[in-house]
Amino acid sequence: AESSRSERVAFATWRLVKLALSVVALVVLASCNTADELPQGPVTPLVPPAGAVATRSAQPTAAPAASQPTATAITLPTGQASIVGTLANGTAGASVPAHQPLTLYALTQDGSSILFTRTVTSDAGGQFAFDQLDPSPTTMYAIQTQYLKAYYTSDPLTFAHGGVTLTVPITVYETTTDAAAVRVEQMHMFFDFAPGSTTVGQLFIASNSGDRAYMGPDGTSLHWSLPPGATNVRFQDGELGGRYQSTPGGLADTEAIAPGMGTAQILVSYDLPYDGTRLDISLPMAYPVKSVNVLVPESGPKLTSPQLTSAGSRQTQGGNMLNYVGGNLAAGTSLALQISGAANAPATSGTPSGSAGAPWVLIAGAALLLVAVGIVAFVWLRQQREAVEEKVEDSEAQREELLDALAELDDDFDAGRVAEADYHQQRAELKAELVELRKQGG
């Protein structure tokens, strides 16, 4: 029961951010395609907006008459409404996996809550079915399966069209240890300043233009660098030592990168010391990076970079932010950023030096993406900082309570209200709690 609950929470967290990020990313990537800049190869559709009706990957079909044979070998289930489908293998020459577990998630229309989950296993030919479903247009469904350490998820599905059966093809892929087809479509950075430090958020949207999911020989997939001195590393959908692993100089994901456009999306934040004078950041790129967007508070420190160009000011939940864009960074190169000035100083009007100008599609894409992504990521960034601050406050309150309890215990012992044996035992327990609190950063 506990593992099922954890699975639901993990999926809900993953889906909320993925919906917000993928939709606008799809618009940006489609815009970039007009310049013939997208990699060639199979493309997996990104998740459309919450509440969308079934799309080309989930075609509604009318309920078949009893005297008519169905088009598929599987017998259509009975019930209020049904979702049926067939697994396919998108890797050339590979066979369809048999007896593959698939999980159905029923969600509220806005995707904010999971109503229930149900798991079935496909047959030997890859066919599967979910029966007895609520056909209400206010209920949204999604199907997810994990194959060879890669997750594959259907588009959001609804019965808003009035049909009783949805047919959903889901394509899975074999794996490869060759990262040649992997690149970062979009890398976004967000800065939030506080006295003595800055919290940095990084969002990576990576693509795989091959027909195999990528997983390195060491069991990790997407790698990225951390600046020296980074602390309090936090992830939107995992934790360090779990899904994400430390590597020399950085971090790595342990989920395979499925083929398609924007199939890997990672949101991470960390803290860096900043005294209000100068902070130099150099981030080596493990893969080619197509576009870079950086947001800093308009009223905060100044950002300069030889690889970025100013794209003006953007409105976010956290206030006006200055946006800097760049791109076409080759694997092995580094993104160099310099932060300078007090956190409460007005932003200067200069722009980063270096780039003569970004292509119009890059600037337009940044504007579209940051309207939605900037709000989502910035709010999340603020929440992470507030969570750390609340933890510090809670630890301080616990410390004060323990010290008060020790003082009260000493007074009771001096007044003869506590036996000596009980006094020493209780005092040792309170001191042990204090030591443990200090170990946790309290």
Side-chain angles (χ1 to χ4, degrees):
E2 183 62 28
S3 62
S4 176
R5 179 180 179 277
S6 299
E7 181 185 60
R8 295 184 186 191
V9 171
F11 180 84
T13 303
W14 164 84
R15 191 180 179 286
L16 288 175
V17 174
K18 187 175 178 67
L19 282 173
L21 303 182
S22 296
V23 150
V24 189
L26 182 59
V27 174
V28 175
L29 294 175
S31 300
C32 292
N33 197 31
T34 61
D36 296 324
E37 294 179 344
L38 295 188
Q40 301 302 309
V43 175
T44 300
L46 294 180
V47 180
V53 298
T55 62
R56 57 186 173 84
S57 64
Q59 300 297 333
T61 57
S67 59
Q68 295 177 344
T70 62
T72 58
I74 192 170
T75 302
L76 286 176
T78 60
Q80 290 181 300
S82 307
I83 298 177
V84 299
T86 303
L87 286 172
N89 196 320
T91 301
S95 59
V96 175
H99 310 300
Q100 175 73 16
L102 300 102
T103 300
L104 174 75
Y105 294 86
L107 306 104
T108 54
Q109 189 173 26
D110 62 359
S112 61
S113 300
I114 294 179
L115 303 174
F116 65 86
T117 65
R118 189 185 303 170
T119 300
V120 301
T121 301
S122 65
D123 64 17
Q127 295 180 314
F128 60 89
F130 294 93
D131 192 14
Q132 301 289 339
L133 300 179
D134 176 16
S136 168
T138 60
T139 302
M140 184 164 56
Y141 298 94
I143 300 173
Q144 186 178 75
T145 188
Q146 183 184 20
Y147 179 63
L148 301 178
K149 288 196 173 183
Y151 286 92
Y152 302 92
T153 307
S154 72
D155 293 349
L157 313 167
T158 76
F159 291 91
H161 49 75
V164 295
T165 302
L166 294 177
T167 302
V168 187
I170 294 181
T171 302
V172 299
Y173 300 85
E174 301 302 306
T175 58
T176 179
T177 58
D178 184 359
V182 175
R183 77 170 182 176
V184 175
E185 296 294 336
Q186 299 152 0
M187 172 183 166
H188 305 271
M189 296 186 68
F190 311 85
F191 287 85
D192 186 25
F193 294 92
S197 69
T198 178
T199 299
V200 183
Q202 285 186 264
L203 168 66
F204 299 90
I205 301 178
S207 296
N208 178 351
S209 61
D211 70 346
R212 290 176 177 267
Y214 169 69
M215 175 62 74
D218 62 351
T220 63
S221 55
L222 195 69
H223 285 232
W224 66 97
S225 300
L226 277 181
T231 58
N232 295 326
V233 178
R234 304 173 292 278
F235 298 91
Q236 173 267 327
D237 58 351
E239 60 183 15
L240 195 58
R243 172 179 171 179
Y244 301 99
Q245 300 293 321
S246 294
T247 62
L251 302 167
D253 192 6
T254 59
E255 287 187 5
I257 304 175
M261 195 64 60
T263 52
Q265 300 178 12
I266 295 173
L267 183 58
V268 60
S269 77
Y270 50 86
D271 297 336
L272 289 173
Y274 180 61
D275 60 6
T277 56
R278 175 171 169 167
L279 174 63
D280 290 298
I281 300 175
S282 179
L283 298 173
M285 302 291 108
Y287 316 92
V289 178
K290 185 175 180 181
S291 72
V292 178
N293 289 281
V294 181
L295 285 176
V296 295
E298 191 172 42
S299 60
K302 177 184 177 182
L303 169 72
T304 58
S305 170
Q307 296 146 300
L308 302 179
T309 299
S310 174
S313 179
R314 307 292 175 209
Q315 290 185 349
T316 74
Q317 187 78 10
N320 288 347
M321 307 286 285
L322 293 177
N323 178 209
Y324 300 99
V325 300
N328 296 322
L329 302 180
T333 60
S334 294
L335 174 64
L337 305 173
Q338 184 184 105
I339 303 291
S340 60
N344 58 355
T348 60
S349 59
T351 62
S353 60
S355 175
W360 71 268
V361 70
L362 187 62
I363 297 177
L368 284 171
L369 187 67
L370 290 167
V371 168
V373 175
I375 292 176
V376 172
F378 193 83
V379 169
W380 180 77
L381 205 63
R382 282 288 176 89
Q383 289 173 343
Q384 301 310 301
R385 177 180 288 279
E386 290 170 0
V388 172
E389 292 172 351
E390 288 176 3
K391 181 179 179 181
V392 172
E393 292 175 0
D394 291 344
S395 297
E396 184 62 26
Q398 292 178 36
R399 178 177 176 275
E400 292 297 331
E401 289 179 3
L402 289 171
L403 290 175
D404 289 344
L406 276 171
E408 185 176 348
L409 180 63
D410 289 342
D411 291 343
D412 288 343
F413 177 68
D414 291 340
R417 292 190 290 269
V418 179
E420 184 173 359
D422 293 337
Y423 167 72
H424 289 301
Q425 179 182 350
Q426 294 178 32
R427 202 171 200 284
E429 291 173 352
L430 289 170
K431 290 183 69 175
E433 289 184 46
L434 273 172
V435 171
E436 183 63 27
L437 193 61
R438 290 194 185 96
K439 289 180 180 178
Q440 296 174 0

